[in-house]
Amino acid sequence: MRKKLAELEKLSRLLEPGENTRRDMLGQVANYAESFLARLPNSKTYVKDEGRKGFPEPHFEDEPAEMAELIEFLRREVDTTGISPGSGGQLGYIPGGGLYPSALGDYLADISNRYSGLSFSGPGSARMEGVLVEWMCELAGYPQSAAGDLTSGGSIATLSALVTARDAHGISSGVIPDSCVYLTGQAHHCIDKALHVAGLADARKRIVAMDDRYRMVVAELERMISEDRARGLKPWLAVASAGTTDTGAVDPIPEIAAIAGQHGLWFHLDAAYGGFFLLCEEGRERLAGFSLADSIVIDPHKGLSLPYGSGAVLVRDGQLLARSHAYYADYMQDAKQPGHGPGVDFSPSEYSMELTRPFRGPRMWLPLKLFGLRPFKASLSEKIWLARYFYDEVSRLDGFETGPYPDLSIATFRYCPKDGDANAFNQALLAAVHADGKVFITSTMIGDVFTLRLAVLNFRTHRDTIDYLLNLLQEKARELEGGAL
Ligand SMILES: *Cc1c(COP(=O)(O)O)cnc(C)c1O
């Protein structure tokens, strides 16, 4: 048996390379990262993929490969086609980030693999996440009683929020068919997903009308709630957006909060995209009433330019979040000591669906500390002004028309061709922008109108990117008008 163990040990020790090998590996990774970042400003943001060619079979073999070879594979097969989310030219969907210190934070978190779920096992790591949650609660204007959780993203955070709302309002199986949820047609589809996963698919979804700026019409909300109550139904949840994904519209938050409060509804605020604009004055003006929400979803991987995998849920009455995510297991009896609040011995797993979880603290904590808040505030303010700048400039271009003035940093627009089908024209215009690839924008349907949209949020987006897009749009529209369609 000893001989057997010695043989196995020799092989399994290959999983722990020595210091020189590690330094060499890290050097190669750092070199690649530097060459990637050096190329980034001049690279395309979007490159169409030509279909699967790499990834030869068998995928994994017993024999080791060389680091250099693997980095080259990554460059060729992963970092080349599709959208480059870290590029300042990423003006589609909701841009992500990729702050450099976040990568270092992940590196450090992964080296120690500190567990942050329970304060017993990772007091410092749990505390660091607690501090980040507290900071976001303060930013939201929440009271001390609030709690939250760092999640993998906004969709999962929404699930946590809606499960908390469901439990707080006693929406159990018998009540679901008579329970009513209010939202606009511009609410993010993660609300639907979360309702479905939370067993609430049979709740009655009330689509509240919007005004011409795609904001919820509060009088309609009130009318629908009153009607539903009069019919003996149970209105329990109102969802508002602090920046919709499509058009960036901010619903009238204080008014919705007032009606939700008056009628005893849970008020959920989806601020996945818009929440961190609270850091700048222009954003704060738009986001008044934020603290009135019962639950909030906010995405650091959007507004803070963190790498993907960083969302957050905040709940005004933190105990309700804990109640919906509490658990007990005999095998954890040493680790779980009940009755902890956030801040003091905060245990994230008691507020979360997750038990074993990545230590998400350092990727957020490190850049916030290292840079200080000032550049984040300036960057978010800059994004709002860039959207306004684009809006003003594009509306001056021949043939272009704009949607509503941006509430935050998303603008919609389209080209009105002299003749022919406008939808087909804008589709072709978008295809031309994608074929160029330097910047990436997307489209949406507003009713049956094919609409182009620009979302400015990446920390690397500055005026030169917007100017490039404006020139490109003008040039391609002219070409298409010239009969290239
Ligand atoms: C991105 C987004 C979501 C979903 O968040 P993920 O982090 O992508 O899961 C929800 N709501 C809005 C308004 C968003 O922009």
Side-chain angles (χ1 to χ4, degrees), residues 94 152-156 158 188 190 243-245 270 272-273 299 301-302:
I94 301 287
S152 61
S155 301
I156 291 295
T158 301
H188 193 275
C190 74
T244 58
T245 311
D270 181 355
Y273 150 62
D299 264 358
H301 65 202
K302 289 178 178 170

Side-chain angles (χ1 to χ4, degrees), residues 115-388:
Y115 177 56
S116 63
L118 286 164
S119 73
F120 170 81
S121 30
S125 47
R127 227 166 268 149
M128 182 183 280
E129 291 197 6
V131 162
L132 290 164
V133 166
E134 265 177 27
W135 174 67
M136 288 186 283
C137 286
E138 277 167 27
L139 193 62
Y142 264 0
Q144 286 279 315
S145 57
D149 183 41
L150 296 182
T151 67
S152 61
S155 301
I156 291 295
T158 301
L159 178 61
S160 265
L162 297 196
V163 164
T164 303
R166 179 197 69 191
D167 297 348
H169 278 246
I171 308 296
S172 54
S173 54
V175 187
I176 294 170
D178 286 341
S179 71
C180 307
V181 177
Y182 304 83
L183 68 176
T184 72
Q186 287 286 323
H188 193 275
H189 64 259
C190 74
I191 303 288
D192 276 341
K193 247 197 215 180
L195 289 170
H196 177 81
V197 175
L200 297 164
D202 292 335
R204 296 178 193 227
K205 245 170 269 162
R206 301 293 195 225
I207 306 299
V208 186
M210 293 175 289
D211 63 16
D212 56 1
R213 305 191 52 136
Y214 312 108
R215 298 169 178 166
M216 185 185 283
V217 177
V218 180
E220 274 296 291
L221 171 68
E222 181 152 43
R223 184 186 62 78
M224 290 169 111
I225 292 174
S226 300
E227 274 182 22
D228 285 331
R229 292 184 95 184
R231 289 163 63 198
L233 299 172
K234 186 177 167 51
W236 70 280
L237 173 66
V239 178
S241 306
T244 58
T245 311
D246 249 8
T247 68
V250 179
D251 285 323
I253 300 170
E255 290 82 357
I256 297 171
I259 289 169
Q262 202 180 316
H263 292 273
L265 275 69
W266 182 279
F267 174 32
H268 174 72
L269 185 61
D270 181 355
Y273 150 62
F276 282 104
F277 282 110
L278 283 170
L279 281 169
C280 70
E281 205 180 315
E282 298 85 353
R284 268 196 306 279
E285 271 169 29
R286 289 274 182 247
L287 300 175
F290 211 83
S291 63
L292 301 170
D294 293 301
S295 54
I296 295 168
V297 162
I298 185 167
D299 264 358
H301 65 202
K302 289 178 178 170
L304 285 186
S305 284
L306 260 53
Y308 292 147
S310 300
V313 57
L314 310 174
V315 177
R316 156 188 273 281
D317 179 351
Q319 284 311 308
L320 295 176
L321 179 64
R323 210 179 294 162
S324 290
H325 295 87
Y327 63 97
Y328 182 79
D330 286 334
Y331 80 91
M332 293 190 64
Q333 61 182 3
D334 303 334
K336 269 198 70 157
Q337 305 135 8
H340 296 156
V344 245
D345 292 341
F346 171 66
S347 277
S349 66
E350 298 188 4
Y351 296 82
S352 166
M353 215 11 249
E354 295 176 317
L355 178 57
T356 308
R357 51 194 268 142
F359 178 25
R360 298 191 174 100
R363 53 160 51 197
M364 184 165 168
W365 181 83
L366 197 59
L368 289 175
K369 283 293 207 186
L370 198 60
F371 294 141
L373 295 180
R374 193 181 299 118
F376 287 96
K377 293 174 178 172
S379 177
L380 286 157
S381 179
E382 181 194 23
K383 301 302 139 354
I384 287 184
W385 284 104
L386 284 173
R388 293 174 179 176

